[in-house]
Structure formats: structure tokens, C-alpha cells
Amino acid sequence: MKCFVGLGNPGKQYEHTRHNIGFMAIDRFAEKWGVSSFQNKCKGHLAEMRVNGTKAYLLKPMTYMNLSGESIRAFMDFYKVDVSDLVILYDDMDTPFGNIRLRYQGSAGGHNGIKSVIAHTGTSTFNRIRMGINRPNPGYPIVDYVLSNFSKAETGALPAVLDKTCEAMEHCLSEPFEKTMAVFNGSGN
């Protein structure tokens, strides 16, 4: 069993922002596998599904980015799952737009959603799919950048990025995360 957690902010005003690429990936995966509804549960929107016979959960915390860990902790406690069953999907400024990077440990790197996940799980060792959003131009405030919408060119390329992320999600349902990292962190990503 795996739980894919996409980080983002609830509300229409944040729907298409860079910070919500984690939500976008969860929605794309749900659409791909015919999941049409999420329940309000564990301080988030939660869906249960089967992918090629494997049980999976999709979680979008509705706590706002900075408190994402609260929803994840509620899910872990309710379903009695270990942090090793989680895969966190989120925006990463240190990864070029169009690329994804899979990691199983690391610091928050200034990402407040990941800081909250670390605080509520008690570890910085958990599976992550970091989705590249590039860095803003020098002098451009980071908070304004992550809370702004993707550029027109990025919006056009976004479906391919989300599809690549969904492929990585599917892969880690049938293979160990380390093998998925080897496939998706290779060249041409």
C-alpha cells in the first residue's frame, strides 16, 4: 500500500500556482485511473483506489502548505501506516521546470510544506517526488513566485510533466522506491 500526498494550498486562487503542482499531479493521477471523488478526511481530500491490484491512497492536505504535516499525521494515525508508505509530491525550485527528482531523504531546503512534514512525522527520511518549477529571477520575492501562476509556455508543457510524474507514481507501486529513483532520475528526465 502507498499513499501519495500532493502538497498545495486549497482554494480557487491557488489552483494554478507553482506551489500547487503537487495537487495537480494527484488530480492527474486520479483522472488517469478513473477516481472521480475525494472524501473530506484526515484534514484533507482523500481517495482510495486500486492500481493494477495494489491499494493506493491519494491525499491533498487542506491545511494550507505550511501545515501539510498535520493532515499527513492524521492519515498515518487513522490508517496505522508507516512513513515508509508515503510518497510526497511537491514543487522544487532547485529542479529545472519539466524535470522531476526522486529522493528518500533530505532537508526541507526552505520548503515550508516539507518542514511541516518533517515536524509531524519526526523524520526527514521519506519518499519524495520533487517537481521542478525553476527559481525566480534575482530580486523577485520567492513567496510571490511560488504563489503565482505558471507562465504560458510552462502551462503548455505542464501536461507532459504531470504525465511523467504519474508514470513515476505507477512505477513505485510495483517496484521498490530505489528502483523507481534509478529509472526516473536518469538522464533525459
Side-chain angles (χ1 to χ4, degrees):
M1 188 279 288
K2 286 278 180 236
C3 179
F4 296 103
V5 183
L7 302 189
N9 286 308
K12 276 276 186 225
Q13 71 271 36
Y14 299 112
E15 198 171 340
H16 301 290
T17 64
R18 290 178 174 89
H19 228 13
N20 271 35
I21 198 168
F23 276 12
M24 293 175 202
I26 293 293
D27 289 341
R28 182 66 157 227
F29 195 78
E31 181 186 319
K32 214 173 161 173
W33 287 94
V35 174
S36 55
S37 65
F38 284 75
Q39 301 176 278
N40 287 318
K41 199 169 188 177
C42 301
K43 297 184 180 185
H45 291 169
L46 181 68
E48 183 179 329
M49 61 190 295
R50 288 208 169 269
V51 176
N52 300 327
T54 302
K55 183 188 258 187
Y57 290 93
L58 303 176
L59 177 63
K60 297 188 298 185
M62 292 290 123
T63 53
Y64 289 93
M65 182 65 81
N66 297 358
L67 302 174
S68 298
E70 290 181 10
S71 175
I72 292 166
R73 173 46 62 194
F75 173 83
M76 290 173 66
D77 290 348
F78 187 84
Y79 287 96
K80 308 287 185 258
V81 298
D82 189 72
V83 72
S84 64
D85 297 320
L86 303 175
V87 179
I88 313 295
L89 297 90
Y90 63 100
D91 59 293
D92 182 46
M93 290 189 299
D94 294 322
T95 301
F97 178 81
N99 291 0
I100 61 173
R101 288 283 170 253
L102 283 67
R103 298 282 182 265
Y104 59 87
Q105 65 184 28
S107 71
H111 194 290
N112 289 330
I114 296 300
K115 284 180 188 171
S116 178
V117 174
I118 292 169
H120 285 85
T121 61
T123 184
S124 60
T125 303
F126 49 83
N127 299 331
R128 336 154 171 227
I129 300 177
R130 301 182 335 191
M131 304 173 71
I133 63 166
N134 292 334
R135 281 203 166 269
N137 291 325
Y140 194 98
I142 287 176
V143 69
D144 293 345
Y145 179 75
V146 298
L147 294 179
S148 64
N149 289 349
F150 285 100
S151 71
K152 194 171 185 174
E154 289 170 335
T155 299
L158 205 48
V161 175
L162 297 175
D163 286 343
K164 186 189 310 180
T165 304
C166 288
E167 288 173 29
M169 293 165 72
E170 287 170 36
H171 194 274
C172 72
L173 283 170
S174 59
E175 297 290 340
F177 196 75
E178 288 72 20
K179 276 193 177 176
T180 305
M181 284 172 59
V183 170
F184 287 89
N185 287 344
S187 61
N189 182 8

